[in-house]
Amino acid sequence: MTRTAQVVVIGGGQAGLAAGYHLRRLGLEFVNLDARTEPGGAWQHTWDSLHLFSPAAYSSLPGRLMPPQTGEEHPDAAHVVAYLREYEKRYELPVRRPVRALGVYRDGGLLRVETDSGTWHGRAVISATGTWRPFLPAVPGGGDFAGQQLHTVEYRRPQDFAGRRVIVVGGGNSGAQIAADLAYDTELTWVARRPPRFLADDVDGRALFGAATARRRALDRGGTDTGGVAALGDIVAVEPVREARDRGLLKASPMFARLVPGGVEWADGTRAEADAVIWCTGFRPALSHLAPLRLRGRRGHIATAGTRAVDEPRLHLLGYGDWTGPASATLIGVGRPAREAACAIAGLLA
Ligand code: FAD
């Protein structure tokens, strides 16, 4: 079956919903296609203890403040899912689930979106499919290790590893938070490519949003690169991380050289035995549905001017990180680029 909409938004997580909010305000006709069966995007699949790194009011989408969570200054992921579910309902956003976009094609004056349940044609497409795609580095001996290997996206709770020897790889937020989660009940080894850089204890998502915005403004003015969030550090010292760090439980070792059947081995021959290795090594944008447009350039990104794809003006990319708008991969940061994308599309279609 073939259907049409002025704008096809691919993704029904926070970025897709923010796009829908602004498209609706501008009177454009659109549909959101979302591969998951339930509202909430990637927030449905995080580990149990994950809390936002900002208070609720600083984690809000356009038009609706996130209500505070009773007893928690920093809401948990379940609270975010409930908020997104309610947001979608409140604004009667036309999200179709589960519908997975398989490929986007140029088709005369339209863009054609092939999905696992039919074809959509749109005069414009907003891709808002998130970054919940695991990245695993190639490390020698990966196939030799006899224990369990998993990525951040598969980790749920420390009880699953109680009493076991666990190696957590990665010096970013996921690595630090999962290491802190495991620090009490497992025999933990935390490894990172470089010494972990904790942000000052009073720096949370509010300051990060400010730093990302200031960087973008400086670059847009042709000024010098302030370094943005990366210049401040890598790890937000959320409460559980702070607590484990202050108890001396979060000491990172350098990255090992290879995996061996019973664990890992450093370049000098030192070994650590392990039952499980958890790879907290990051995520990549989910862009494979855009491959037919042949737009991918450096580092797998698509060249953009703001949110618009430089070589396909009918396509906008939303929520993938600073390259699609400052702090666009955050709840509070996605509103502005969503508005810009909707306004640009309204102009294009006028
Ligand atoms: P997603 O939530 O991933 O939503 C994308 C949707 O698109 C999904 O439902 C997916 O199923 C769907 N989709 C994907 N491919 C297709 C396809 N081909 N066809 C149809 N649908 C598709 N941000 C904050 O503001 N505060 C925080 O504290 C914070 N903590 C974070 C902690 C972690 C561990 C991570 C990984 C991220 C965190 N973020 C945080 C960043 C960000 O807010 C989240 O990653 C958020 O989920 C991104 O929203 P999104 O809508 O861009 O993507």
Side-chain angles (χ1 to χ4, degrees), residues 11 13-15 34-36 41-43 47 52-53 99 101 129-130 132 329-331:
Q14 64 199 39
D34 188 37
R36 290 179 208 258
W43 294 107
W47 57 95
L52 293 182
F53 47 66
V99 180
T129 47
W132 197 243
T330 63
L331 284 151

Side-chain angles (χ1 to χ4, degrees), residues 219-306:
L219 291 175
D220 288 348
R221 280 196 313 266
T224 40
D225 190 345
T226 58
V229 171
L232 300 177
D234 295 322
I235 300 168
V236 184
V238 291
E239 204 182 311
V241 167
R242 216 159 46 218
E243 201 178 312
R245 182 201 62 194
D246 292 348
R247 288 184 184 205
L249 301 173
L250 280 191
K251 299 254 191 309
S253 306
M255 183 59 190
F256 48 82
R258 64 188 65 81
L259 288 122
V260 292
V264 301
E265 185 179 86
W266 280 267
D268 65 1
T270 316
R271 286 189 173 193
E273 300 201 332
D275 302 304
V277 176
I278 306 180
W279 297 96
C280 302
T281 40
F283 303 87
R284 292 290 181 267
L287 297 174
S288 61
H289 56 291
L290 300 177
L293 296 173
R294 299 188 179 283
L295 298 170
R296 295 189 80 164
R298 272 183 56 232
R299 299 201 346 241
H301 287 183
I302 289 172
T304 47

Side-chain angles (χ1 to χ4, degrees), residues 116-149:
D116 57 4
S117 54
T119 302
W120 284 84
H121 280 101
R123 293 177 65 195
V125 166
I126 297 179
S127 182
T129 47
T131 56
W132 197 243
R133 189 164 71 84
F135 171 73
L136 291 164
V139 177
D144 300 337
F145 180 59
Q148 183 186 3
Q149 294 190 61

Side-chain angles (χ1 to χ4, degrees), residues 10-16 33-36 40-44 46-47 50-54 59 99-102 128-132 152 174 283 286 289 318-320 328-332:
I10 306 175
Q14 64 199 39
L33 309 178
D34 188 37
R36 290 179 208 258
W43 294 107
Q44 297 168 82
T46 64
W47 57 95
L50 179 78
H51 283 65
L52 293 182
F53 47 66
S54 309
S59 305
V99 180
R100 177 173 292 280
L102 303 173
T129 47
T131 56
W132 197 243
T152 313
S174 308
F283 303 87
H289 56 291
L318 191 60
Y320 296 106
S328 69
T330 63
L331 284 151
I332 195 172

Side-chain angles (χ1 to χ4, degrees), residues 1-293:
M1 190 170 34
T2 301
R3 284 152 289 194
T4 56
Q6 281 185 311
V7 187
V8 179
V9 182
I10 306 175
Q14 64 199 39
L17 300 188
Y21 172 87
H22 283 295
L23 292 168
R24 168 70 46 77
R25 279 180 65 121
L26 291 167
L28 295 174
E29 186 234 340
F30 65 97
V31 65
N32 284 80
L33 309 178
D34 188 37
R36 290 179 208 258
T37 50
E38 295 290 328
W43 294 107
Q44 297 168 82
H45 305 287
T46 64
W47 57 95
D48 292 356
S49 68
L50 179 78
H51 283 65
L52 293 182
F53 47 66
S54 309
Y58 292 88
S59 305
S60 302
L61 294 180
R64 170 91 176 117
L65 273 185
M66 181 185 286
Q69 182 176 15
T70 315
E72 302 279 2
E73 193 196 356
H74 296 94
D76 63 20
H79 188 73
V80 182
V81 172
Y83 167 72
L84 294 178
R85 183 186 290 277
E86 195 270 337
Y87 186 93
E88 194 175 311
K89 209 162 137 205
R90 181 187 187 92
Y91 291 109
E92 296 178 346
L93 298 174
V95 187
R96 299 193 174 222
R97 293 193 177 87
V99 180
R100 177 173 292 280
L102 303 173
V104 180
Y105 301 82
R106 296 184 182 88
D107 194 345
L110 299 174
L111 290 173
R112 188 176 84 243
V113 183
E114 297 288 355
T115 80
D116 57 4
S117 54
T119 302
W120 284 84
H121 280 101
R123 293 177 65 195
V125 166
I126 297 179
S127 182
T129 47
T131 56
W132 197 243
R133 189 164 71 84
F135 171 73
L136 291 164
V139 177
D144 300 337
F145 180 59
Q148 183 186 3
Q149 294 190 61
L150 60 160
H151 183 266
T152 313
V153 301
E154 295 159 299
Y155 173 75
R156 288 293 165 274
R157 57 192 73 83
Q159 291 84 338
D160 296 341
F161 298 90
R164 295 167 71 194
R165 298 160 302 182
V166 184
I167 302 208
V168 172
V169 184
N173 283 298
S174 308
Q177 287 191 29
I178 290 178
D181 221 21
L182 292 166
Y184 304 90
D185 299 321
T186 69
E187 219 177 282
L188 170 73
T189 306
W190 181 30
V191 303
R193 261 189 322 185
R194 59 180 185 184
R197 299 189 310 150
F198 293 94
L199 290 149
D201 286 2
D202 60 348
V203 170
D204 69 6
R206 287 168 282 197
L208 299 183
F209 178 62
T213 307
R215 174 173 188 248
R216 185 71 266 156
R217 288 203 180 124
L219 291 175
D220 288 348
R221 280 196 313 266
T224 40
D225 190 345
T226 58
V229 171
L232 300 177
D234 295 322
I235 300 168
V236 184
V238 291
E239 204 182 311
V241 167
R242 216 159 46 218
E243 201 178 312
R245 182 201 62 194
D246 292 348
R247 288 184 184 205
L249 301 173
L250 280 191
K251 299 254 191 309
S253 306
M255 183 59 190
F256 48 82
R258 64 188 65 81
L259 288 122
V260 292
V264 301
E265 185 179 86
W266 280 267
D268 65 1
T270 316
R271 286 189 173 193
E273 300 201 332
D275 302 304
V277 176
I278 306 180
W279 297 96
C280 302
T281 40
F283 303 87
R284 292 290 181 267
L287 297 174
S288 61
H289 56 291
L290 300 177
L293 296 173

